[in-house]
Amino acid sequence: QTVSINKAINAQEVAVKEKHARNILPEAGPGTRTQTFWSVVNRLPLSGNAVLCWKFCHVFHKLLRDGHSNVLKDSVRYKNELSDMSRMWGHLSEGYGQLCSIYLKLLRTKMEFHTKNPRFPGNLQMSDRQLDEAGENDVNNFFQLTVEMFDYLECELNLFQTVFSSLDMSRSVSVTAAGQCRLAPLIQVILDCSHLYDYTVKLLFKLHSCLPADTLQGHRDRFLEQFRKLKDLFYRSSNLQYFKRLIQIPQLPENPPNFLRASALSEHISPVVVIPAEASSPDSEPVTDLVEMDTASQSLFDNKFDDIFGSSFSCDPFNFNSQNGMNKDDKDRLIEQLYGEIAALKEELESFKAELRGRASELEAELAEQQHLKQQAQDESEFLRTELEELKKQREDTEKAQRSLTEIERRAQANEQRYSKLKEKYSELVQNHADLLRKNAEVTKQVTMARQAQGDVEREKKELEDSFQRSQEQAEVLETLKRELAASRQELQVLQGTLESSTQAGAEQNTRITGLEQERDRLSQAAERHGEEMAALRAELQQLRDTLSHEQE
């Protein structure tokens, strides 16, 4: 099994031989484990040789499909390592890098699907009743199972398309060793895709019988896209000479199924992939080496017979007439002796043949192992050389980055100092702004109060002007009264003169004089009151003028 693993998984860009892959399968049979497979694989430089990793994916895929369920149980622990390896190979955009990355993703998806759905065998072969049991007759389970099959089939189709994209289809790539190395794993992919397509069709018909059509619009769109891809890939594969002698690829119908019509399920034909008998397998080896070994052994036997009995016996050992002086008893004894020696020689010959076969097998295995170790050493040397160059490049990049980092740190420090200064200046400006806002508020308040005081002064000024106007009017009245008083005094003087000169004035004259004197007294009192009021108004007006002048200042 170790020899078969090393023969199947090597760095030569040729397809994995079917017989080597079959010899690995018994290790994963019932009651056994896959420690031997993984112990050998873990010693292989899968991360350093893309072809080696590609052929590992092929063999592991076949183990998952055709091996016992223990293969999955014992391989789950390596799922994270496969994911890391997939990410690593994904950085290479040429050669087998992308192929290995996508194939490893497919294997991880396959392991996750079968772990989550243990009712599905590795080869995905199930009856309709088993398919119903897998969903436990629950529409929610069928819905989720369909989504998982879509994801599963999507990974298969991605690998399919990536392999075809990596080949130059303008040449007969399917007859070259390099082309067959890339195409060989697609046989497992075709087998998986045929079952996944069949199950998705049946599940979608079942879902459409339970759920509204609008709810399943996304499922129909995704199925239609995968249907077109799978139909094209099946058609292109069936035209390749490599597949024609190894597998019969079914063709999908011209139009996708109409899930909105329940009766269309009866029109669905499950695609069946047919693999011809193993006798027609192209990897059968000639057996001329065993024929040559038998011929060499026979020649060796003849030489040894001549050494024991002489060359005469080799020509005609039973021609006793040519032996003179021999009686019948001697001849019988000689014949018996010869029969015994012949039997012993036959046993020795068989033992020698078995020893030669065993030694040849050991030498062949040792030679294969030495070649494999040599190839591994070359691959590791190439990988280490590439890694060293990458490390040198990374070191140069690191030094450049370090210099850039130093310059950035210096600039950052300068920017930090500038920022600190700007921050202090900003704080100062904020403080000044706050002070100005407070002063502005105070000035605004003072201006408002001054405006109010000015309004009050204006109102008082207007009132004083009105009062002054009234005082002027009263002064005019007072002047008029003064003039009347003067006239009355003059008249009184005249009357007094007349009274003194004329004694004949009567009681009417005295009465009139008395009335005039009273009138005079009344006018005098009124004039004094008006004079006092005028003085008070002048004083008040002067005070208002002083106040106004002070407010204006």
Side-chain angles (χ1 to χ4, degrees):
Q1 291 164 356
T2 302
V3 172
S4 297
I5 294 173
N6 288 324
K7 286 185 176 180
I9 306 175
N10 53 53
Q12 298 178 2
E13 195 175 2
V14 294
V16 176
K17 291 187 177 182
E18 184 66 21
K19 67 174 184 178
H20 295 155
R22 285 198 306 270
N23 291 337
I24 302 173
L25 289 179
E27 174 65 15
T32 61
R33 297 291 177 179
T34 55
Q35 283 87 353
T36 302
F37 174 76
W38 283 109
S39 64
V40 175
V41 167
N42 287 332
R43 294 195 299 268
L44 300 177
L46 299 181
S47 300
N49 190 300
V51 176
L52 199 68
C53 182
W54 175 253
K55 299 177 81 170
F56 155 74
C57 293
H58 182 187
V59 174
F60 184 46
H61 193 177
K62 185 170 183 62
L63 282 177
L64 290 175
R65 276 191 51 82
D66 302 334
H68 193 262
S69 59
N70 291 333
V71 174
L72 178 62
K73 295 177 182 178
D74 294 338
S75 303
V76 169
R77 72 181 74 173
Y78 300 100
K79 186 171 61 174
N80 293 332
E81 297 180 11
L82 297 181
S83 299
D84 296 339
M85 200 183 307
S86 173
R87 284 192 294 271
M88 188 274 295
W89 284 117
H91 296 299
L92 297 180
S93 58
E94 298 179 356
Y96 281 88
Q98 285 294 322
L99 295 177
C100 292
S101 177
I102 295 176
Y103 207 164
L104 289 167
K105 289 179 183 178
L106 168 60
L107 294 176
R108 178 185 173 92
T109 302
K110 184 176 182 68
M111 294 168 67
E112 291 176 347
F113 177 84
H114 290 285
T115 302
K116 189 180 295 184
N117 303 282
R119 294 178 182 269
F120 283 84
N123 57 13
L124 294 173
Q125 293 181 3
M126 299 180 68
S127 63
D128 293 344
R129 182 180 59 82
Q130 291 173 328
L131 183 63
D132 293 338
E133 292 176 353
E136 298 177 355
N137 292 321
D138 187 349
V139 66
N140 296 320
N141 294 340
F142 287 134
F143 189 93
Q144 181 63 28
L145 183 59
T146 306
V147 174
E148 294 173 1
M149 284 191 176
F150 279 144
D151 297 337
Y152 193 172
L153 184 56
E154 187 70 28
C155 293
E156 302 272 4
L157 294 176
N158 286 340
L159 178 62
F160 221 137
Q161 289 180 317
T162 307
V163 171
F164 273 44
S165 300
S166 67
L167 297 174
D168 185 5
M169 304 306 292
S170 62
R171 301 186 298 112
S172 300
V173 293
S174 65
V175 297
T176 64
Q180 292 177 2
C181 182
R182 300 192 183 196
L183 292 173
L186 295 186
I187 295 178
Q188 312 296 323
V189 175
I190 292 171
L191 292 170
D192 285 344
C193 289
S194 63
H195 292 298
L196 291 173
Y197 167 78
D198 183 36
Y199 298 153
T200 51
V201 171
K202 294 176 180 178
L203 289 176
L204 283 175
F205 273 112
K206 189 179 296 292
L207 288 174
H208 279 78
S209 65
C210 302
L211 297 176
D214 295 340
T215 306
L216 300 171
Q217 182 64 45
H219 280 50
R220 291 196 299 275
D221 294 340
R222 193 172 184 185
F223 173 82
L224 182 60
E225 179 183 1
Q226 293 185 351
F227 172 82
R228 292 170 179 169
K229 291 181 181 178
L230 186 60
K231 180 181 177 181
D232 177 66
L233 294 172
F234 273 10
Y235 176 75
R236 295 170 65 183
S237 302
S238 62
N239 292 327
L240 293 178
Q241 187 65 32
Y242 175 72
F243 289 123
K244 288 181 179 180
R245 58 195 178 95
L246 295 177
I247 187 173
Q248 293 182 9
I249 303 174
Q251 297 300 314
L252 299 185
E254 184 68 23
N255 298 316
N258 184 5
F259 299 108
L260 301 179
R261 185 168 57 89
S263 59
L265 177 60
S266 60
E267 303 172 2
H268 170 67
I269 300 176
S270 299
V272 178
V273 179
V274 179
I275 299 180
E278 295 179 357
S280 61
S281 177
D283 58 5
S284 58
E285 295 179 345
V287 293
T288 57
D289 53 348
L290 296 179
V291 176
E292 293 173 358
M293 184 182 297
D294 291 341
T295 304
S297 300
Q298 183 64 36
S299 177
L300 181 63
F301 171 79
D302 293 339
N303 293 334
K304 196 166 184 179
F305 189 90
D306 292 341
D307 293 339
I308 296 174
F309 301 104
S311 58
S312 60
F313 281 99
S314 63
C315 298
D316 190 5
F318 297 102
N319 186 10
F320 297 105
N321 295 325
S322 63
Q323 306 296 328
N324 296 324
M326 271 193 186
N327 55 26
K328 185 176 181 180
D329 294 336
D330 294 335
K331 292 179 181 178
D332 292 338
R333 284 194 303 271
L334 181 59
I335 291 172
E336 290 178 0
Q337 182 182 355
L338 289 176
Y339 275 128
E341 291 181 358
I342 289 174
L345 287 174
K346 285 184 177 179
E347 292 178 358
E348 185 178 355
L349 178 61
E350 292 298 329
S351 176
F352 186 67
K353 286 182 178 180
E355 183 180 355
L356 284 178
R357 291 193 186 98
R359 183 58 179 165
S361 299
E362 291 177 1
L363 291 175
E364 183 181 1
E366 186 176 354
L367 177 61
E369 186 175 359
Q370 292 297 328
Q371 289 178 348
H372 180 64
L373 292 176
K374 179 182 177 181
Q375 186 65 34
Q376 282 185 349
Q378 292 176 353
D379 295 339
E380 289 179 359
S381 176
E382 184 66 24
F383 176 74
L384 291 175
R385 187 180 299 108
T386 305
E387 191 174 15
L388 180 60
E389 293 177 357
E390 291 180 355
L391 288 175
K392 289 181 179 178
K393 185 177 180 181
Q394 289 178 1
R395 182 180 177 183
E396 295 176 357
D397 295 340
T398 303
E399 292 176 354
K400 292 180 181 179
Q402 187 67 30
R403 291 194 295 269
S404 301
L405 180 61
T406 304
E407 181 66 19
I408 291 172
E409 289 178 351
R410 186 183 63 79
R411 293 180 181 178
Q413 188 175 3
N415 291 333
E416 184 69 23
Q417 294 176 356
R418 192 179 298 109
Y419 173 74
S420 300
K421 293 180 181 179
L422 290 174
K423 186 177 181 181
E424 293 176 358
K425 189 67 176 176
Y426 175 74
S427 301
E428 183 179 353
L429 290 175
V430 170
Q431 185 64 32
N432 293 337
H433 182 66
D435 295 338
L436 290 175
L437 287 177
R438 287 193 294 271
K439 290 180 180 180
N440 184 43
E442 294 177 358
V443 170
T444 303
K445 184 177 180 181
Q446 292 177 359
V447 170
T448 303
M449 294 175 63
R451 287 178 179 174
Q452 292 178 354
Q454 186 177 2
D456 296 339
V457 170
E458 291 291 336
R459 287 193 299 273
E460 292 178 356
K461 181 180 178 182
K462 186 176 181 180
E463 292 176 357
L464 289 175
E465 288 177 353
D466 295 339
S467 300
F468 182 72
Q469 185 69 25
R470 289 195 300 272
S471 298
Q472 286 181 347
E473 292 177 357
Q474 291 177 359
E476 291 176 357
V477 174
L478 182 60
E479 289 296 330
T480 303
L481 293 175
K482 285 181 178 181
R483 286 194 300 271
E484 290 180 357
L485 180 60
S488 298
R489 287 178 178 175
Q490 289 177 4
E491 186 178 356
L492 180 59
Q493 290 176 359
V494 172
L495 288 176
Q496 286 178 351
T498 304
L499 180 60
E500 291 176 356
S501 61
S502 179
T503 56
Q504 288 91 7
E508 295 180 358
Q509 289 291 336
N510 291 332
T511 305
R512 185 178 179 185
I513 290 172
T514 303
L516 288 172
E517 288 178 352
Q518 293 177 351
E519 182 67 21
R520 184 192 62 187
D521 294 336
R522 186 181 64 78
L523 291 173
S524 297
Q525 293 176 358
E528 291 176 357
R529 288 196 300 273
H530 283 293
E532 293 175 356
E533 291 179 358
M534 286 296 294
L537 289 173
R538 287 192 183 95
E540 187 176 358
L541 179 61
Q542 185 62 35
Q543 185 178 1
L544 290 172
R545 286 176 178 173
D546 295 340
T547 303
L548 182 61
S549 299
H550 179 69
E551 292 292 338
Q552 290 177 351
E553 293 176 357

